[in-house]
Amino acid sequence: MAQLDTLDIIVLAVLLVGTVAYFTKGTYWGVPKDPYAGSYSAANGSKAGKSRNILEKMEESGKNCVIFYGSQTGTAEDYASRLAKEGSSRFGLKTMVADLEDYDYENMDTFPDDRIAMFVLATYGEGEPTDNAVDFYEFITGEDVSFSDGGAAEEKPLSNLKFVAFGLGNNTYEHYNSMVRRVDAALVKLGATRIGEAGEGDDGAGTMEEDFLAWKEPMWAELSEKMSLEEREAVYEPVFSVTERDDLDPEAKEVYLGEPNKNHLEGTSKGPYNSHNPFIAPIAESREIFTVADRNCLHMEIDVSGSNLSYQTGDHIAIWPTNAGKEVDRFVSILGLEEKRHKVISVKGLDPTARVPFPTPTTYDAAIRYHIEIGGPVSRQFVASLAPFAPDETAKAEMTKLGSDKDYFHDKVSSQYFNIAQVLELVEKSKKWTNVPFSIMIEGINKIQPRYYSISSSSLVQKNKISITAVVEEIRIPGATHIVKGVTTNYLLALKQKQHGDPAPDPHGLTYAITGPRNKYDGIHVPVHVRHSNFKLPSDPSKPIIMIGPGSGVAPFRGFVQERAAQAKTGENVGKTILFFGCRKSTEDFLYKEEWEKFSTDLPTFSLITAFSREQPQKVYVQHRLKEHAADINALIQNDKANFYVCGDAANMAREVSAVLVQIIAEERGISTEKAEEVVRGMRSSGQYQEDVWS
């Protein structure tokens, strides 16, 4: 037998390695990277292998401007993206958008003085940071804050940092825009230099968009002067590429048809379940709890068994909605996408810092139905950005006018609550808007966000079932030909109709893909996660509580009373439990009437005080009933340190309840209104007065 020399062995080894490599490509190596295997698949905080050093990230990607956002509903993120696009297209800045929770901030003392940081910060709840801004907020406002070079606050360690700030708030809340105010103060205290005013948008007054537009122009002017920027004519520069994939069938296993991440795509959904990764929960029970034909209020029981989702009484449940089929069809039609709505597309960032807002490859239909907030309000700035893509010069002129004339835009668009497809139809319906790049729709319209509902059950009584109480929303506009329908509550109504035997649910003329992508939600399921809240019962059940909850604002108080009734049945000493509930008529929308009667038996310290606003000539609301019981309320608060809770409408009811409480304390204690206001402020800061309100 011939002997193998060293060269033969080397050649054979190379051939063997090459053969193994060829047949294992795509299995063990060379596997195409799924961009959603991290944030969308693991869906659990920071991404493996991703640097948390923002300066390093900026250096690597050649950026000189970072726009950080703290966002709960997506609006602050949208404004951050708009600032990034405008900074790039108008002023030539090299911009990037950054989620506050993705980075660490100890090295901000080494931030170069030729770069700029922008902060777009929403205030959540009672003056709290949004979920993704908690760590940053606690760090930057901490008393013992320290940076990489060891400089203490009095040494002004951030003297190199130039920053811009805009806040999103609601003046119906006591701590209006407190997030941007506190962060601004903290940065200035640490030596940073703010450029322009710290802007404040007011959702409570309905002026958020115009506040933003009015703030940014003088900000850009001052920033241009400080950084020697030259303004140029803004042209559309896409952030994402959208590629139609003729090589992929929409039913191919790697195509996302609405699944939120890779685990859901592969049918192996697993926790932890959170704001990036919903649990597909069965609806165990659903029923109508109004007794009037033209209005709906739903009670639902969501089964979270086996999910490891846990909640505490007073928490919120998030529902992940889909867009109504009627609005999906309108959007598809006006853009001329009917014939290719199920065409597979891949969406990629044209910049390494651009984050695609949904997993791809997907289809036009799936992106529109499950991921883009097509039913939301339209910004004047976005309308202006679409003008160059109008189907003719007349439509272009009209879009330009809408984008530039604040009053005209209000009359034609915002006062009518039009969504973007309705605006395009308003301007030119007979021609398709086929010139509009799909990328600008992805960039200019918010990602559809989960909607949060106060949980109306007690975790002590039913830890594996979460109750929801939701009024099905609609807005009737005087003189308009359409009625604005709530996206999520009508989605829930469709699920309820399906559960009760309707083969083709069509609530209020809307249809929903309620079986979900690839029928994965069939059997009446809904995507959910739980958000923890500070709206909590006292740890000592003997402490009295006073609850104000008209309409669906009674939701968390059903859970409170349910819990205290269960505690009483086991022999615990449960304090006085007073609920003020209001609705229109006792025969139409008296929520949980029979349950309150049963709770009165199980919980002797429970009392229900009602206000039926339309059962007498003069309207009577919960704040009127509160005033009628002034002496008892004051005594419980002053002598027994009762907790005082309010849930419901922030703009009117909650404000009036607060004003009445001030009046009660002033009159009952014989003190001035100013002194009584101080007492109520003290109750709020100590947690004795708690609110779970919305506008």
Side-chain angles (χ1 to χ4, degrees), residues 56-343:
E56 185 179 278
K57 183 71 172 179
M58 293 178 75
E59 188 68 34
E60 287 174 357
S61 53
K63 305 301 182 185
N64 60 3
C65 175
V66 58
I67 302 96
F68 294 105
Y69 66 85
S71 186
Q72 197 72 30
T73 64
T75 308
E77 182 178 0
D78 174 55
Y79 283 177
S81 297
R82 286 162 62 180
L83 287 172
K85 285 176 67 67
E86 192 170 357
S88 173
S89 62
R90 279 181 66 186
F91 300 99
L93 286 166
K94 304 300 182 185
T95 59
M96 67 173 285
V97 176
D99 186 332
L100 277 169
E101 71 179 351
D102 286 348
Y103 297 95
D104 297 322
Y105 299 94
E106 287 84 354
N107 65 345
M108 286 192 76
D109 56 337
T110 61
F111 203 92
D113 63 3
D114 61 346
R115 299 182 189 177
I116 184 76
M118 299 187 180
F119 296 89
V120 183
L121 305 170
T123 298
Y124 166 64
E126 292 302 300
E128 302 153 31
T130 55
D131 292 346
N132 74 316
V134 170
D135 290 345
F136 164 74
Y137 175 75
E138 291 179 350
F139 171 77
I140 208 70
T141 60
E143 290 184 11
D144 55 350
V145 60
S146 63
F147 294 92
S148 57
D149 285 347
E154 57 272 15
E155 297 172 37
K156 308 295 183 186
L158 300 187
S159 56
N160 275 354
L161 178 66
K162 298 184 183 73
F163 76 97
V164 165
F166 182 79
L168 295 80
N170 186 317
N171 71 13
T172 61
Y173 291 76
E174 182 183 5
H175 302 284
Y176 172 61
N177 260 314
S178 62
M179 182 66 175
V180 74
R181 293 177 182 182
R182 291 170 185 166
V183 168
D184 173 52
L187 291 171
V188 170
K189 180 181 177 183
L190 293 166
T193 302
R194 188 185 66 246
I195 294 178
E197 294 297 318
E200 295 185 356
D202 187 359
D203 191 44
T207 58
M208 180 74 76
E209 177 67 18
E210 292 302 331
D211 293 338
F212 175 72
L213 296 179
W215 162 79
K216 71 181 181 66
E217 288 309 316
M219 179 277 292
W220 284 127
E222 187 168 337
L223 184 63
S224 297
E225 182 183 340
K226 293 284 173 57
M227 295 189 69
S228 302
L229 303 177
E230 289 187 14
E231 185 171 0
R232 59 192 187 186
E233 184 180 356
V235 294
Y236 173 61
E237 298 173 350
V239 175
F240 304 114
S241 68
V242 179
T243 306
E244 295 183 354
R245 299 285 301 273
D246 293 326
D247 60 317
L248 282 176
D249 184 271
E251 291 301 325
K253 64 180 182 180
E254 64 265 42
V255 175
Y256 292 84
L257 296 181
E259 295 90 350
N261 56 51
K262 190 174 182 181
N263 284 337
H264 283 268
L265 178 68
E266 296 175 345
T268 57
S269 169
K270 58 186 179 182
Y273 298 106
N274 52 33
S275 59
H276 302 289
N277 184 38
F279 173 60
I280 311 303
I283 298 175
E285 176 191 338
S286 60
R287 68 179 191 271
E288 175 65 55
I289 51 177
F290 276 175
T291 55
V292 61
D294 61 341
R295 295 164 63 217
N296 299 94
C297 184
L298 305 175
H299 176 89
M300 287 185 159
E301 298 284 344
I302 310 297
D303 190 344
V304 294
S305 302
S307 67
N308 280 331
L309 277 175
S310 63
Y311 77 100
Q312 296 296 317
T313 308
D315 283 345
H316 300 133
I317 185 169
I319 304 293
W320 292 48
T322 67
N323 285 310
K326 178 180 179 181
E327 294 307 324
V328 173
D329 292 345
R330 187 199 305 274
F331 190 92
V332 165
S333 174
I334 196 66
L335 292 182
L337 294 172
E338 297 102 317
E339 293 185 5
K340 55 182 184 180
R341 67 189 301 164
H342 298 298
K343 168 78 73 173

Side-chain angles (χ1 to χ4, degrees), residues 516-532:
R518 295 182 170 91
N519 293 319
K520 289 176 180 175
Y521 303 172
D522 203 8
I524 321 300
H525 287 71
V526 64
V528 304
H529 72 269
V530 170
R531 182 176 72 188
H532 297 295

Side-chain angles (χ1 to χ4, degrees), residues 341-357:
R341 67 189 301 164
H342 298 298
K343 168 78 73 173
V344 177
I345 56 173
S346 287
V347 182
K348 294 182 179 179
L350 294 173
D351 182 281
T353 66
R355 181 186 295 181
V356 181

